[in-house]
């Protein structure tokens, strides 16, 4: 589907105010581009694969919004005229900047694919992980290769939390192990598990986009799914899912999500583990480390065994008593 994209050139100090004006006019889906540096506090709240390397802030910001290309042009013009009038009024007490509005067209496919320029191949332990659209680096041809196209699902593997999990899976997975991947995203951790010799693998995610990505990524890595099950749903809310996993029992359960989700999972995950089974959890910012450790220690069926650090992120491991 094609869209009209309108981009307003303004100032960083005016972005909040101008965004408010746009919302008042019924504009949704606002996109802000500026060179404001991300604060440490903001970084700690994020859970993304890449932070952009921004140039020095020049005080300029761009705010974009979209309308359907086939929509009535007169409606767009009326909207733009109302926006211009509001900006004129606001410029009397806040620096709006240039205030020019440029029009262009874009497609849905652009939004899906534009981020790909930031995803480059990398290595973790013995694994060489590369995007499907990039050619193989011959220097890494001796390594175990994993190809990933996350689509709109989370998980290229580049983020510290995923790398922590990959290293722990390498440490704990044994041939034939039964593995449960909670919050599987693109499926990269389950692919790693299979490459390490895992037997049956069950995977869950609350996002259909993740489920779709899993099938695509297993296919591109030529891994059969005869002994793989992918389930859409939330293990914390779905008692039938909990019962299924409890009846089955796993050698390894891995959850690379966020601390606020891992904490309640830690209260029930022992039910899914075989005796001596390992729970690998990551997605834990350093400020939440103690809370996750406390949740693990409060579950009498678990024994806290290790905490591994990478940058600001932590992986917490526990064993089924």
């Amino acid at each position: 589907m094609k869209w009209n994209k309108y981009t307003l050139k303004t100032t960083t100090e005016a972005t909040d105010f101008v965004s408010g004006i746009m919302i008042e006019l019924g504009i949704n889906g606002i996109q802000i581009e500026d060179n404001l540096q991300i604060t440490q506090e903001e970084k700690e709240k994020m859970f993304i694969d890449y932070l952009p390397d921004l140039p020095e802030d020049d005080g300029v910001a761009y705010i974009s919004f979209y309308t359907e290309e086939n929509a009535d042009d007169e409606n767009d013009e009326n909207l733009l005229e109302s926006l211009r009038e509001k900006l004129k009024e606001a410029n009397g007490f806040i620096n709006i900047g240039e205030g020019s509005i440029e029009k262009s067209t874009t497609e849905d496919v652009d939004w899906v694919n534009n981020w790909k320029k930031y995803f480059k191949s990398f290595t973790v332990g013995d694994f060489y992980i590369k995007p499907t659209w990039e050619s193989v680096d011959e220097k890494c041809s001796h390594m175990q290769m994993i190809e990933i196209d996350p689509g709109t699902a989370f998980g290229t593997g580049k983020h510290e939390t995923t790398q922590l999990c990959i290293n722990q899976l390498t440490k704990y997975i044994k041939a034939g192990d039964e593995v449960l991947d909670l919050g599987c995203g693109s499926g990269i951790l389950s692919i790693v598990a299979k490459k390490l010799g895992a037997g049956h693998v069950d995977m869950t995610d609350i996002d259909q986009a993740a489920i779709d990505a899993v099938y695509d990524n297993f296919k591109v890595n030529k891994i059969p799914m005869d002994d793989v099950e992918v389930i859409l749903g939330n293990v914390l809310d779905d008692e039938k899912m909990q019962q299924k996993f409890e009846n089955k029992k796993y050698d390894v359960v891995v959850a690379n999500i966020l601390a606020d989700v891992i904490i309640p999972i830690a209260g029930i995950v022992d039910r899914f583990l075989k005796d001596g089974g390992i729970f690998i959890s990551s997605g834990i910012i350093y400020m939440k480390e103690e809370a996750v450790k406390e949740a693990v220690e409060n579950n009498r069926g678990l024994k806290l065994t290790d905490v591994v650090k990478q940058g600001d992120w932590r992986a917490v491991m526990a064993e089924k008593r």
Side-chain angles (χ1 to χ4, degrees):
M1 184 174 183
K2 291 188 176 182
W3 302 81
N4 296 319
K5 178 180 180 181
Y6 295 99
T7 301
L8 167 68
K9 185 176 183 180
T10 183
T11 63
T12 52
E13 67 178 285
T15 52
D16 287 347
F17 192 89
V18 173
S19 297
I21 290 175
M22 290 182 174
I23 292 170
E24 287 180 6
L25 292 173
I27 296 171
N28 296 310
I30 295 168
Q31 173 186 326
I32 298 174
E33 300 173 73
D34 58 41
N35 292 328
L36 285 177
Q37 301 300 313
I38 296 170
T39 67
Q40 184 64 24
E41 181 181 1
E42 291 169 332
K43 181 180 177 182
E44 288 162 359
K45 293 178 181 178
M46 293 181 175
F47 190 43
I48 57 176
D49 283 357
Y50 294 92
L51 291 177
D53 184 15
L54 298 175
E56 185 177 347
D57 177 30
D58 58 2
V60 176
Y62 298 89
I63 306 179
S64 301
F65 62 92
Y66 302 84
T67 64
E68 292 186 25
E69 187 187 40
N70 294 327
D72 190 337
D73 288 341
E74 186 177 348
N75 289 341
D76 278 11
E77 283 303 319
N78 291 337
L79 177 61
L80 292 174
E81 192 56 35
S82 297
L83 176 58
R84 293 185 184 103
E85 289 301 317
K86 293 280 188 182
L87 293 174
K88 286 180 189 176
E89 295 172 11
N91 202 40
F93 53 86
I94 189 170
N95 180 17
I96 296 297
E98 185 175 295
S100 61
I101 302 174
E102 290 191 3
K103 179 181 178 180
S104 58
T105 59
T106 188
E107 294 187 63
D108 292 341
V109 67
D110 297 331
W111 300 343
V112 172
N113 290 324
N114 281 345
W115 65 272
K116 289 184 176 181
K117 60 186 176 183
Y118 299 110
F119 178 20
K120 304 296 181 182
S121 58
F122 62 98
T123 61
V124 183
D126 294 330
F127 289 99
Y128 167 53
I129 301 169
K130 75 170 207 62
T132 54
W133 55 88
E134 194 172 273
S135 58
V136 176
D137 185 344
E138 290 303 319
K139 292 183 296 185
C140 300
S141 59
H142 65 287
M143 304 179 75
Q144 285 223 69
M145 186 174 73
I146 295 176
E147 294 191 272
I148 288 291
D149 184 351
T152 56
F154 174 82
T156 63
K158 185 70 172 180
H159 196 275
E160 289 98 328
T161 61
T162 314
Q163 294 184 38
L164 284 166
C165 283
I166 291 173
N167 287 326
Q168 294 306 304
L169 288 170
T170 301
K171 178 179 178 179
Y172 287 108
I173 291 284
K174 304 182 299 296
D177 273 356
E178 307 278 316
V179 177
L180 174 60
D181 184 355
L182 299 174
C184 61
S186 64
I188 184 169
L189 295 180
S190 290
I191 291 171
V192 168
K194 293 297 289 183
K195 292 270 187 178
L196 291 169
H200 189 91
V201 175
D202 285 330
M203 313 165 67
T204 74
D205 205 284
I206 61 173
D207 188 348
Q208 182 62 50
I211 305 300
D212 296 339
V214 164
Y215 285 100
D216 291 341
N217 287 319
F218 266 70
K219 183 176 180 180
V220 77
N221 285 281
K222 298 180 174 60
I223 300 175
M225 298 193 71
D226 301 340
D227 55 358
V228 176
E229 185 174 2
V230 193
I231 306 168
L232 178 66
N234 186 342
V235 71
L236 291 172
D237 299 335
D238 192 329
E239 292 184 2
K240 287 185 178 179
M241 187 188 297
Q242 292 178 20
Q243 190 63 53
K244 174 185 176 71
F245 298 155
E246 186 173 2
N247 290 339
K248 183 150 191 190
K249 298 271 193 299
Y250 300 86
D251 298 286
V252 176
V253 176
V254 60
N256 181 30
I257 313 177
L258 286 173
D260 290 341
V261 181
I262 290 169
I263 288 169
I265 287 176
I268 62 172
V269 72
D270 61 305
R271 293 161 43 193
F272 311 152
L273 287 164
K274 299 177 183 177
D275 291 343
I278 298 296
F279 176 44
I280 300 170
S281 63
S282 190
I284 305 162
I285 192 70
Y286 71 92
M287 293 185 297
K288 299 278 189 176
E289 176 186 339
E290 293 304 318
V292 173
K293 287 163 61 177
E294 182 180 357
V296 169
E297 290 167 340
N298 285 341
N299 184 337
R300 294 184 179 181
L302 295 176
K303 176 186 176 183
L304 181 66
T305 57
D306 200 7
V307 178
V308 181
K309 306 176 181 181
Q310 186 170 336
D312 291 335
W313 299 91
R314 306 290 184 262
V316 174
M317 272 60 66
E319 182 180 338
K320 170 72 175 288
R321 292 184 188 275

